[in-house]
Amino acid sequence: IDITTVLLGPYGTQSLGDMGADIIKVEAPPTGDKARNMGTVRNVNMAGIIINSNRNKRSLALDLRQDENKEIVYELIREANVVVSNFRSGVMDRIGFGYEKLRELNPKLVYASGSGYGPKGPYSHKGGQDVLAQAMSGVMMRRADSSLPISIYPTTICDYTTGMHLVQAVLAALIGVSRTG
């Protein structure tokens, strides 16, 4: 179950889909994932970034603030192997999809969360994005010629890299579940 938005999470779950996972993406109505209308948009709700990070998925548009919609997702989670999110620390708990709640529904569930600043620490409550990660990590300082101005990488290198680490963690956890139950 993919409860992600923009790139880090969607890229990771797309990669799992490329490997054969059956991915159900839960998006908030009325517009769905924020990335649907980011950047160049030739067709409404189908920007390049959404197409580039959401193949191999089915999608549900559900307002998770409504109890009846939560119940639909809870039913899916009872049968799922993995739930992936990429919100700021505390958001999944606040909307009723924190680890403790979902573990009650499915004790073997792998719960993966990727966020800009992690679950603890001084920035955990802040939203993260690739450009911020490039700046804070110092990667923007790397350039072929030091006389050139600092600039962002045109590829969302931090989101892609973090998405791949998320995939590795999910696969390792699935191996663990298969070995230990």
Side-chain angles (χ1 to χ4, degrees):
I1 307 299
D2 175 340
I3 308 175
T4 67
T5 186
V6 186
L7 195 54
L8 180 169
Y11 177 67
T13 55
Q14 172 182 271
S15 297
L16 291 167
D18 289 347
M19 295 177 201
D22 179 14
I23 309 293
I24 300 173
K25 182 177 177 85
V26 179
E27 301 183 62
T31 59
D33 188 325
K34 290 183 241 179
R36 286 191 172 278
N37 293 294
M38 291 173 77
T40 303
V41 180
R42 291 195 178 107
N43 298 304
V44 175
N45 291 327
M46 293 303 286
I49 191 170
I50 202 80
I51 294 167
N52 189 43
S53 59
N54 285 283
R55 68 177 170 263
N56 299 325
K57 298 179 189 181
R58 294 178 288 155
S59 183
L60 287 172
L62 296 171
D63 182 346
L64 295 180
R65 295 173 295 183
Q66 297 177 4
D67 289 340
E68 62 271 15
N69 291 338
K70 286 181 184 183
E71 287 302 322
I72 292 168
V73 178
Y74 290 157
E75 204 51 46
L76 292 170
I77 288 168
R78 284 183 180 92
E79 302 298 319
N81 295 331
V82 179
V83 168
V84 178
S85 72
N86 69 323
F87 298 104
R88 292 183 314 273
S89 182
V91 169
M92 288 292 279
D93 286 315
R94 192 168 60 249
I95 65 172
F97 290 89
Y99 173 69
E100 295 301 327
K101 169 67 179 174
L102 299 189
R103 185 176 71 168
E104 292 172 11
L105 300 174
N106 183 343
K108 292 184 178 184
L109 185 71
V110 170
Y111 187 93
S113 176
S115 67
Y117 300 104
K120 298 177 184 171
Y123 296 134
S124 63
H125 65 286
K126 295 181 180 233
Q129 58 163 296
D130 195 88
V131 174
L132 294 172
Q134 287 186 37
M136 291 186 77
S137 68
V139 75
M140 286 182 176
M141 295 294 292
R142 297 201 42 97
R143 49 203 190 282
D145 180 346
S146 62
S147 68
L148 295 173
I150 295 170
S151 63
I152 65 169
Y153 276 66
T155 300
T156 51
I157 191 168
C158 298
D159 279 340
Y160 281 123
T161 303
T162 307
M164 284 291 83
H165 285 293
L166 185 137
V167 168
Q168 291 170 5
V170 166
L171 295 175
L174 288 169
I175 291 169
V177 169
S178 74
R179 289 184 177 169
T180 66

